[in-house]
Amino acid sequence: MTRNIYLNNVSVEEAKKKWYSALELKRATEKIDIRDALDRITAEPIVAKVSAPHYHASAMDGIAVKAEKTAGASEKNPIKLEKDKDYQMIDTGDPIPEVFNAVIMIEDVNRISEEIVEIEKGATPWQHVRTVGESLVKGELILPANHQISPYDIGLVLDGGVIEVKVYSQPQVQIIPTGTELVEPGASLKPGNIIEFNSQVLAKLVQKWGGKAVRKKIIPDNYQEIKAEVSRAVAEMDLVVVTAGSSAGSEDYTAQILAELGEVFVHGVSMKPGGPVILARIGNTPVIGVPGYPVAAALTFRLFARSVIYKLAGKVEEEEDRKVKAKIVSKVLSSLGFREFLRVKLSELDGEVVATPLARSSGVMGSLVEADGLVAISEFSEGLNSKEEVEVELLKDRVRAEKTLLSAGSNDLTLDILKDELAGTGFDFITKSTGSLGGLTALKRRETHLAGTHLLDPETGEYNFSYLKNLFKNREIMLVNLVYREQGLMFRKDNSKKIQGFEDLAKEDLLFINRQRGAGTRVLLDYMLKEKGINPEQINGYDRIEYTHMTLAAAIASGGADTGLGILAAAQAFDLDFIPIAKERYDLAIPREYWEDERIQVLLKVLRSDEFKERVNKLSGYDTSKTGQVIKHE
Amino acid sequence: MTRNIYLNNVSVEEAKKKWYSALELKRATEKIDIRDALDRITAEPIVAKVSAPHYHASAMDGIAVKAEKTAGASEKNPIKLEKDKDYQMIDTGDPIPEVFNAVIMIEDVNRISEEIVEIEKGATPWQHVRTVGESLVKGELILPANHQISPYDIGLVLDGGVIEVKVYSQPQVQIIPTGTELVEPGASLKPGNIIEFNSQVLAKLVQKWGGKAVRKKIIPDNYQEIKAEVSRAVAEMDLVVVTAGSSAGSEDYTAQILAELGEVFVHGVSMKPGGPVILARIGNTPVIGVPGYPVAAALTFRLFARSVIYKLAGKVEEEEDRKVKAKIVSKVLSSLGFREFLRVKLSELDGEVVATPLARSSGVMGSLVEADGLVAISEFSEGLNSKEEVEVELLKDRVRAEKTLLSAGSNDLTLDILKDELAGTGFDFITKSTGSLGGLTALKRRETHLAGTHLLDPETGEYNFSYLKNLFKNREIMLVNLVYREQGLMFRKDNSKKIQGFEDLAKEDLLFINRQRGAGTRVLLDYMLKEKGINPEQINGYDRIEYTHMTLAAAIASGGADTGLGILAAAQAFDLDFIPIAKERYDLAIPREYWEDERIQVLLKVLRSDEFKERVNKLSGYDTSKTGQVIKHE
């Protein structure tokens, strides 16, 4: 147990200050062809070498004339001009012959004979002539230094006779993935193996920020090998990143190695996700060690390394730090002493831009994929109140709050299909698996546009209506059917525990797995247990929960439990056996006041489309005969 | 004179409708490694092949335990655990051994001996365990179709065990530059030669929009050669662009060739810039002919071809069409019957976002380089009123109105240096050469933040003060010195017209070139002429004007005129001889109410910096002894 569990926990600002003030970043420059310089940053002003035009050029197709010779021409008194002597044909861009000083558009020229033309209006001197330098004058500034080169810029630089330009070199960043547990994507997976993808995410971020990433093979948790690779890298690179090994596990060597080779300024930052980050310098090369959890890796890298890459690349940082105001859609609790970077999705709800918190676990990469931005919760705060105004630092270039539809409630596989179909029409669909009752509660609290629900009322045997009636007194809620679906018990095909029906759930050697409180499936379970006279306390695992049908199925498939209640499609996805228990109605609850919203209208269109129903019907256990229909209480 | 001068002039909408409805665009797809797929668009939903984690994994560094064995532990009654029997060391990510079902963090474990540890708090079942599928469940949707792939997405896709993904192929676009007058960048220039850069701009736009551009060598205006190249291109490409030859000049073959090979749907659109655009189809390949003027080429390509590339690339178009509201800063006249696309720069002025129109000529590429966006002036409108609200379609990803400083007035070479220095601090500096009086008038009309002025009062011999007093009754204007500078007569070094001083300007064989009305330099000229008793009517060329010192010098250097009044630095830039006439004070006039604005403060800081003065002093004819100082009336 030789563990270095004592990290210093400094604040984000202190960590930045300590590291940045110790770094001496030198920006390299290089000369490249402007035609290869899209998106690069100028390292010096670019000045025109030639004027454009560099000669007096015709601005029109027409005839070149001497203005004096055309004076007085009118409709009543047209003037005849003789070829070569008085005029010359000229096309746009042609040089004006020295003897002429104006151009008349071809549309204003009447042809009389092969040689003679007639005009009805005089020309003013230099009319329709682009004089030298009209567009750009030799010596004029084309682009300032520290400017990111656009397609149009490339045109103007070439226009000014410049080909070679001095730009900042792209910073070279090596990413060293370490960890004995890591395997390359595509390798066959054994328990304990983790697919290494952090280095790929960081490499792509480096690319987006204007650097060049080098990623070599995974190095196992071997002190000597890691040290050798870091030593090699710092000699050649502008920045070195070691992924993982930054924590306090028994094989976390990164901090020790960096301290031996150079100086460690920070080990541990009081932030979530991402505490155990290491900020160091070896020789003149900055080195950062990031945690292994993917969200922590990406966020700490962004928070600390982006500035370094920007600075080396010659980019002005503040451009990326775009912030928007939004209201946090629901209450969020957070720990004192840690700055939490909450991933949020932005949407327009009840006329305001709201931020919906996404999964907070550092391991859930999906939360970063869906996030529009980050909300920093102060280390001096215990959280955010519902509808509190927050500042959102955007992670995406374009955020389309008004095209984002929020959904909460019961989990179902067809919601994925809905999401995919909506994406095709340009809409984002964010679903939160909160269980049916959680969804309706979120709807009541105005945290979502709609809720998915399949709540059985044991009294009436009906779905959803009685719950809506109880929860929504003064608000009309529409019910639109998503699907009918089959619920049942799922178990591994070997059926070693000999499950034959509901009655077996009370068996002592059977490990059950349940859904969370408020989930429609749990309501169904409790209803069935009551019917069969089984006491929940008899069921081994009644209190162990999963939040979705798929994670429940995964737990059973992996042997973590023997059986649980869920939908047929999930059982089939994990190749489990299934005993049907009930066919239930799953509806989307949509407040009447959102009905005309473009997003709801598009949703209804998708629900009612043949494409959607066909895709649902390819899964097992679904009935789409009422899909998209408004369900009325009878 | 075989010219095809009759273009049909259809509206933008009609042109789009005619062309788009005739095209049958087929999106190709390809399978690529997700690690090469940054920014590509998914062509089908991506679904997880494995769960993540795919085994029950420890979420912490610590010990794996049986939860039941730890029940009841407290500070007063710690529980001892024996290695292997009751616990096992475990690192984050390690699989939970089958016999255990919870993890206790290392921080909460007291080591008693080599084998024995003590805990003071019980573990709940599955505490600190990432159960199978916590992050991602096999079969779950990772990314919908038609989604642009981000760095984070790449991580999640790999996390889900997916490597190969189906994306839309990048549309292949060939750009064919045509024109006998065109030369490749870097070629030596003769009169009539034009550097070909339109193809480079279009190629880079294609790249930005998600396509792949092929650009081959320039083809002269040779009917057969162009036809052969177009035929070759349409067989292989998704889109073919012919630059220039689309107009009505005597060597404009494009429309004819496209009509022979396929079908031309539109030839001529009622828009400015960019009328003579050709929209055609050959076989199944869309072909567009764009005008030769660079702004027209870029804007028509953007207006008509972007949708085609987006559609082929699988991109959702509306994302790019971002619009913001702004007030047009000054009155703009426009022609009825043409939709004009005005290039504008956005800035924050008097608490509002204002749009400043940039150069309107179709040949001035700089107007596109500076523009933040486009304002479309309807074909049914004769223009825009000052401060009228307009919709600006953004051309840039990031617009920083609050970082943009507007300047109008007299032209000077040191303004380029100022612009470059300001760019280095993240500020945009937009200068309009309107002459000193024009600048002050713009300031009065609240069209600019500051004005550059060097207006001599003939009565007092003083600069600027009397003009400010007359123009600004109730507004305090500060004067900050930019430079003192030398004005004089410039002429070619051979001095074939034997210019020796001001008295020679009235010579009959001398061709003078003047600055525009309201320019301080013209005020100086008129003052000098009066002093010398010369009547402007005696001067040949008094009415011919240029707007800047540099274009004036360029006109003289090119032989377009013999002499004119301007600054020494411009004469030297064009290797002209120079007879000094006056040393004058050039100030920046800044309203008192803008003084505390961050932009003005940064401007003053730059003006007062040694770097700025040193760069100015490297030019000839400048005196920086008062640069950056507030000039007070004595």
Side-chain angles (χ1 to χ4, degrees):
Chain A
M1 273 211 289
T2 50
R3 295 193 173 198
N4 161 32
I5 64 168
Y6 300 103
L7 313 180
N8 51 357
N9 259 338
V10 302
S11 73
V12 171
E13 284 71 29
E14 205 183 329
K16 281 187 175 178
K17 202 178 143 201
K18 277 190 170 181
W19 195 41
Y20 293 162
S21 66
L23 299 180
E24 284 171 36
L25 300 176
K26 290 214 181 78
R27 291 193 286 205
T29 63
E30 59 184 332
K31 289 195 170 176
I32 63 172
D33 191 308
I34 182 68
R35 288 166 287 191
D36 302 325
L38 184 64
D39 292 335
R40 298 293 292 271
I41 316 285
T42 54
E44 63 182 16
I46 300 176
V47 165
K49 282 189 180 164
V50 296
S51 297
H54 59 99
Y55 57 92
H56 299 306
S58 178
M60 293 283 178
D61 296 328
I63 59 173
V65 298
K66 285 176 206 165
E68 310 83 64
K69 276 266 184 164
T70 68
S74 70
E75 234 174 291
K76 286 194 176 159
N77 293 304
I79 289 180
K80 286 194 169 54
L81 298 173
E82 193 185 329
K83 198 175 171 184
D84 296 332
K85 184 167 153 276
D86 301 323
Y87 80 89
Q88 204 173 302
M89 297 302 302
I90 200 161
D91 276 349
T92 305
D94 285 349
I96 308 290
E98 277 210 16
V99 295
F100 299 120
N101 67 356
V103 170
I104 298 174
M105 288 164 67
I106 193 66
E107 289 87 335
D108 296 334
V109 174
N110 301 320
R111 193 182 163 202
I112 303 298
S113 71
E114 201 65 39
E115 302 290 316
I116 305 297
V117 298
E118 205 174 66
I119 54 164
E120 297 178 346
K121 205 182 152 208
T124 56
W126 304 98
Q127 146 187 315
H128 300 322
V129 175
R130 301 185 66 214
T131 55
V132 170
E134 182 195 286
S135 168
L136 201 58
V137 192
K138 193 180 85 170
E140 189 179 337
L141 180 72
I142 300 178
L143 295 177
N146 302 301
H147 172 90
Q148 186 159 20
I149 297 169
S150 79
Y152 307 124
D153 296 342
I154 291 172
L156 190 61
V157 170
L158 292 171
D159 201 16
V162 178
I163 293 182
E164 205 182 58
V165 293
K166 195 193 244 187
V167 295
Y168 291 111
S169 303
Q170 294 174 292
Q172 307 284 309
V173 181
Q174 181 165 337
I175 300 159
I176 305 176
T178 73
T180 307
E181 74 283 10
L182 300 179
V183 296
E184 295 290 352
S188 71
L189 294 174
K190 293 185 214 71
N193 286 167
I194 295 176
I195 299 170
E196 200 294 303
F197 62 83
N198 280 345
S199 66
Q200 301 294 342
V201 174
L202 303 191
K204 271 27 177 199
L205 287 173
V206 167
Q207 186 180 332
K208 282 274 182 190
W209 299 336
K212 254 189 169 163
V214 178
R215 186 264 187 200
K216 293 191 179 157
K217 64 178 201 322
I218 296 161
I219 301 182
D221 291 315
N222 175 309
Y223 175 85
Q224 287 306 337
E225 278 188 59
I226 297 173
K227 191 169 179 180
E229 187 61 24
V230 171
S231 304
R232 254 195 303 275
V234 292
E236 293 167 12
M237 295 285 139
D238 297 306
L239 172 67
V240 173
V241 190
V242 182
T243 70
S246 69
S247 190
S250 55
E251 292 182 326
D252 289 337
Y253 300 124
T254 309
Q256 191 189 339
I257 289 170
L258 301 188
E260 282 173 19
L261 293 171
E263 193 175 352
V264 170
F265 300 96
V266 172
H267 185 197
V269 179
S270 53
M271 63 180 279
K272 279 183 180 174
V277 61
I278 305 168
L279 304 174
R281 196 193 65 203
I282 300 174
N284 270 321
T285 309
V287 183
I288 178 171
V290 301
Y293 275 127
V295 179
L299 289 187
T300 54
F301 190 64
R302 185 172 182 278
L303 194 62
F304 296 105
R306 191 182 60 180
S307 286
V308 173
I309 293 171
Y310 265 44
K311 190 151 190 206
L312 289 167
K315 283 198 179 182
V316 178
E317 174 129 35
E318 46 94 39
E319 282 204 56
E320 260 249 1
D321 287 324
R322 293 165 308 138
K323 296 195 170 171
V324 297
K325 302 249 187 241
K327 292 199 168 162
I328 198 85
V329 86
S330 55
K331 189 182 173 85
V332 177
L333 295 177
S334 183
S335 318
L336 274 178
F338 290 90
R339 182 165 319 165
E340 179 167 355
F341 291 92
L342 198 66
R343 279 81 73 204
V344 299
K345 182 78 191 174
L346 295 174
S347 177
E348 190 270 323
L349 180 72
D350 293 330
E352 292 184 318
V353 176
V354 296
T356 298
L358 301 167
R360 293 163 79 180
S361 159
S362 177
V364 180
M365 192 62 193
S367 66
L368 257 184
V369 165
E370 296 230 271
D372 288 325
L374 299 174
V375 172
I377 306 178
S378 161
E379 47 270 59
F380 307 111
S381 157
E382 292 186 89
L384 304 168
N385 291 319
S386 172
K387 305 297 184 283
E388 184 173 335
E389 190 177 79
V390 290
E391 209 168 45
V392 182
E393 187 186 340
L394 298 182
L395 287 170
K396 290 184 179 162
D397 271 349
R398 304 241 162 84
V399 169
R400 302 172 309 145
E402 74 291 354
K403 298 271 184 183
T404 299
L405 191 59
L406 299 175
S407 163
S410 173
N411 164 255
D412 189 81
L413 267 67
T414 62
L415 296 174
D416 270 1
I417 300 175
L418 202 50
K419 184 184 177 75
D420 184 52
E421 290 285 330
L422 282 166
T425 63
F427 289 81
D428 273 2
F429 185 58
I430 299 299
T431 57
K432 269 200 154 178
S433 290
T434 60
S436 294
L437 205 56
L440 293 179
T441 307
L443 200 60
K444 187 176 164 70
R445 291 184 183 150
R446 297 188 170 273
E447 297 171 2
T448 177
H449 292 110
L450 59 97
T453 178
H454 57 109
L455 285 166
L456 178 65
D457 182 347
E459 309 290 312
T460 63
E462 254 191 3
Y463 281 91
N464 299 327
F465 284 108
S466 60
Y467 293 85
L468 290 182
K469 203 175 154 200
N470 286 334
L471 277 166
F472 299 90
K473 304 286 182 206
N474 299 309
R475 210 168 162 205
E476 189 188 348
I477 307 292
M478 314 284 285
L479 282 180
V480 176
N481 183 246
L482 176 69
V483 287
Y484 284 80
R485 61 183 197 175
E486 277 200 78
Q487 292 264 28
L489 289 176
M490 44 178 104
F491 46 88
R492 287 181 299 284
K493 286 205 166 148
D494 64 8
N495 198 9
S496 55
K497 300 290 170 76
K498 312 235 182 303
I499 300 163
Q500 289 179 305
F502 234 81
E503 294 73 10
D504 297 319
L505 295 188
K507 278 188 191 169
E508 207 177 314
D509 71 331
L510 197 75
L511 196 57
F512 185 74
I513 185 161
N514 206 347
R515 291 289 307 284
Q516 80 276 23
R517 234 180 278 266
T521 303
R522 183 153 168 164
V523 172
L524 176 65
L525 175 82
D526 291 344
Y527 172 76
M528 297 296 295
L529 292 177
K530 209 171 168 186
E531 289 254 303
K532 306 275 180 191
I534 304 173
N535 185 339
E537 282 182 16
Q538 296 174 261
I539 297 179
N540 185 11
Y542 181 86
D543 288 328
R544 186 169 157 222
I545 59 164
E546 286 291 346
Y547 288 83
T548 71
H549 294 280
M550 290 292 267
T551 52
L552 189 100
I556 297 166
S558 71
D562 294 319
T563 189
L565 189 62
I567 56 174
L568 176 57
Q572 293 214 334
F574 281 85
D575 201 25
L576 297 173
D577 245 341
F578 185 85
I579 298 174
I581 300 288
K583 183 173 170 182
E584 62 176 12
R585 200 182 76 224
Y586 184 116
D587 297 328
L588 301 177
I590 305 171
R592 183 67 188 83
E593 71 260 33
Y594 300 155
W595 196 256
E596 304 304 330
D597 189 303
E598 186 196 7
R599 291 164 288 193
I600 297 294
Q601 287 300 312
V602 170
L603 174 84
L604 292 173
K605 204 174 154 195
V606 168
L607 281 177
R608 291 164 184 172
S609 69
D610 291 340
E611 290 78 11
F612 177 71
K613 291 179 199 168
E614 276 164 25
R615 287 181 68 179
V616 171
N617 288 329
K618 279 188 191 148
L619 299 174
S620 299
Y622 286 108
D623 171 354
T624 57
S625 58
K626 291 262 157 70
T627 295
Q629 293 185 24
V630 175
I631 306 291
K632 300 273 183 199
H633 200 181
E634 277 152 35
Chain B
M1 273 209 289
T2 49
R3 296 191 172 200
N4 162 31
I5 64 169
Y6 301 102
L7 312 180
N8 52 355
N9 261 337
V10 302
S11 71
V12 171
E13 283 71 29
E14 206 182 329
K16 281 186 174 179
K17 202 178 144 202
K18 277 189 169 183
W19 196 39
Y20 294 162
S21 66
L23 299 180
E24 283 171 37
L25 300 176
K26 292 215 180 78
R27 292 192 287 203
T29 62
E30 58 184 334
K31 289 196 170 175
I32 62 173
D33 190 309
I34 182 67
R35 288 165 288 192
D36 302 323
L38 184 64
D39 291 336
R40 299 292 293 273
I41 316 285
T42 54
E44 64 182 15
I46 299 176
V47 166
K49 282 189 180 165
V50 296
S51 296
H54 58 98
Y55 57 93
H56 299 306
S58 177
M60 293 282 179
D61 295 328
I63 58 173
V65 296
K66 284 178 207 165
E68 310 83 65
K69 276 265 183 167
T70 68
S74 69
E75 234 174 291
K76 286 193 177 158
N77 294 305
I79 289 180
K80 285 195 171 52
L81 300 173
E82 194 185 328
K83 199 174 169 184
D84 296 334
K85 184 168 153 276
D86 301 323
Y87 79 90
Q88 203 173 303
M89 296 302 303
I90 200 162
D91 277 349
T92 305
D94 285 349
I96 308 289
E98 278 209 17
V99 292
F100 300 121
N101 68 357
V103 169
I104 298 174
M105 287 165 69
I106 192 69
E107 290 86 333
D108 296 333
V109 175
N110 301 321
R111 193 182 162 204
I112 303 297
S113 71
E114 200 65 39
E115 301 291 318
I116 305 296
V117 298
E118 205 174 69
I119 53 164
E120 298 176 346
K121 204 181 153 208
T124 57
W126 303 98
Q127 142 186 319
H128 301 320
V129 175
R130 301 185 65 215
T131 53
V132 170
E134 181 194 287
S135 168
L136 201 58
V137 191
K138 194 180 81 167
E140 189 179 338
L141 181 72
I142 300 178
L143 296 176
N146 302 299
H147 172 89
Q148 187 159 18
I149 296 169
S150 80
Y152 307 125
D153 296 342
I154 291 172
L156 190 61
V157 170
L158 291 172
D159 201 14
V162 178
I163 293 184
E164 206 181 58
V165 293
K166 194 193 244 188
V167 295
Y168 291 111
S169 304
Q170 293 174 292
Q172 307 283 310
V173 182
Q174 181 164 338
I175 300 160
I176 305 175
T178 73
T180 308
E181 73 284 9
L182 300 179
V183 296
E184 295 289 352
S188 70
L189 294 174
K190 295 186 214 70
N193 286 167
I194 295 175
I195 299 169
E196 199 293 303
F197 62 82
N198 280 345
S199 65
Q200 301 293 343
V201 175
L202 304 192
K204 272 26 179 202
L205 287 174
V206 168
Q207 187 180 331
K208 283 273 183 190
W209 298 337
K212 254 189 170 166
V214 179
R215 188 263 187 201
K216 294 193 180 156
K217 65 179 201 323
I218 296 161
I219 301 181
D221 291 315
N222 175 308
Y223 175 86
Q224 287 306 336
E225 280 187 56
I226 298 172
K227 191 169 178 179
E229 186 61 24
V230 171
S231 304
R232 253 195 302 276
V234 293
E236 294 167 12
M237 296 284 140
D238 297 306
L239 172 67
V240 173
V241 191
V242 183
T243 71
S246 68
S247 189
S250 55
E251 293 182 325
D252 290 336
Y253 301 124
T254 309
Q256 192 189 336
I257 289 170
L258 301 188
E260 283 173 20
L261 293 171
E263 191 173 352
V264 170
F265 300 95
V266 172
H267 185 197
V269 179
S270 53
M271 62 179 278
K272 279 183 180 179
V277 62
I278 306 167
L279 304 175
R281 196 192 66 202
I282 299 174
N284 270 322
T285 309
V287 183
I288 177 170
V290 301
Y293 276 126
V295 179
L299 289 187
T300 53
F301 189 64
R302 186 172 182 279
L303 195 62
F304 296 105
R306 193 182 57 181
S307 289
V308 173
I309 293 172
Y310 265 44
K311 188 149 192 209
L312 289 167
K315 283 197 179 184
V316 177
E317 174 130 35
E318 45 93 40
E319 283 205 52
E320 265 248 0
D321 287 324
R322 292 164 309 137
K323 297 194 169 172
V324 297
K325 302 251 186 237
K327 291 199 168 164
I328 197 86
V329 85
S330 55
K331 191 182 170 85
V332 177
L333 296 177
S334 183
S335 318
L336 275 178
F338 289 90
R339 181 165 322 165
E340 179 168 353
F341 291 91
L342 198 66
R343 279 80 74 204
V344 299
K345 182 79 191 173
L346 294 175
S347 176
E348 188 272 323
L349 180 72
D350 294 329
E352 292 184 318
V353 176
V354 297
T356 299
L358 302 167
R360 294 163 77 182
S361 160
S362 174
V364 181
M365 192 62 194
S367 65
L368 257 185
V369 165
E370 297 230 270
D372 287 326
L374 299 174
V375 172
I377 306 178
S378 159
E379 46 270 59
F380 306 111
S381 157
E382 292 188 88
L384 304 169
N385 291 319
S386 172
K387 307 295 184 283
E388 184 173 336
E389 190 176 78
V390 290
E391 208 168 47
V392 182
E393 187 187 340
L394 298 182
L395 287 170
K396 291 183 179 162
D397 270 350
R398 305 242 160 85
V399 169
R400 300 172 310 144
E402 74 292 348
K403 298 271 184 183
T404 299
L405 192 58
L406 299 174
S407 163
S410 173
N411 164 253
D412 189 81
L413 268 66
T414 62
L415 295 175
D416 269 1
I417 300 177
L418 202 50
K419 184 185 178 74
D420 184 51
E421 290 284 331
L422 282 167
T425 63
F427 288 82
D428 273 3
F429 186 57
I430 299 300
T431 58
K432 268 202 153 177
S433 291
T434 60
S436 295
L437 207 55
L440 294 179
T441 308
L443 201 58
K444 189 178 164 68
R445 290 183 182 151
R446 298 188 170 273
E447 296 172 4
T448 176
H449 293 109
L450 58 97
T453 177
H454 57 108
L455 284 166
L456 178 64
D457 182 348
E459 307 290 313
T460 62
E462 255 191 2
Y463 280 90
N464 299 330
F465 284 109
S466 61
Y467 292 86
L468 289 184
K469 205 176 152 200
N470 285 335
L471 277 166
F472 299 90
K473 303 290 181 201
N474 299 311
R475 208 168 162 203
E476 189 187 349
I477 308 293
M478 313 284 286
L479 281 179
V480 176
N481 183 245
L482 177 67
V483 287
Y484 283 81
R485 61 182 198 176
E486 277 200 79
Q487 290 265 28
L489 289 176
M490 43 179 104
F491 44 88
R492 287 180 301 283
K493 285 206 164 144
D494 64 7
N495 198 9
S496 56
K497 300 291 170 77
K498 311 240 181 303
I499 300 162
Q500 290 180 304
F502 233 82
E503 295 73 8
D504 297 320
L505 295 189
K507 279 187 188 169
E508 206 177 314
D509 71 329
L510 197 75
L511 196 56
F512 184 76
I513 184 160
N514 205 349
R515 291 290 307 284
Q516 81 276 25
R517 236 180 277 266
T521 303
R522 183 151 168 167
V523 172
L524 177 65
L525 175 83
D526 291 344
Y527 172 75
M528 298 296 294
L529 292 177
K530 208 170 170 188
E531 287 255 303
K532 306 276 180 188
I534 304 171
N535 183 340
E537 284 185 12
Q538 293 175 264
I539 298 178
N540 185 9
Y542 181 87
D543 288 328
R544 187 171 156 220
I545 58 163
E546 286 290 348
Y547 287 84
T548 72
H549 295 282
M550 291 292 268
T551 53
L552 189 101
I556 296 166
S558 72
D562 294 320
T563 190
L565 190 61
I567 56 174
L568 177 56
Q572 292 214 336
F574 279 87
D575 201 24
L576 296 173
D577 246 341
F578 185 85
I579 299 173
I581 300 290
K583 182 174 170 180
E584 62 175 12
R585 202 183 74 225
Y586 183 116
D587 298 327
L588 302 177
I590 305 171
R592 183 67 187 82
E593 72 260 29
Y594 299 156
W595 197 256
E596 306 303 332
D597 189 302
E598 185 196 9
R599 290 165 290 194
I600 297 294
Q601 288 299 314
V602 169
L603 175 84
L604 293 172
K605 203 174 155 195
V606 168
L607 281 176
R608 291 164 184 172
S609 69
D610 291 339
E611 290 77 11
F612 177 71
K613 291 178 195 167
E614 275 164 25
R615 288 181 69 179
V616 171
N617 288 329
K618 279 188 191 151
L619 300 174
S620 299
Y622 285 108
D623 171 355
T624 56
S625 57
K626 292 263 159 64
T627 296
Q629 293 186 23
V630 175
I631 306 292
K632 299 276 183 196
H633 201 182
E634 278 154 32

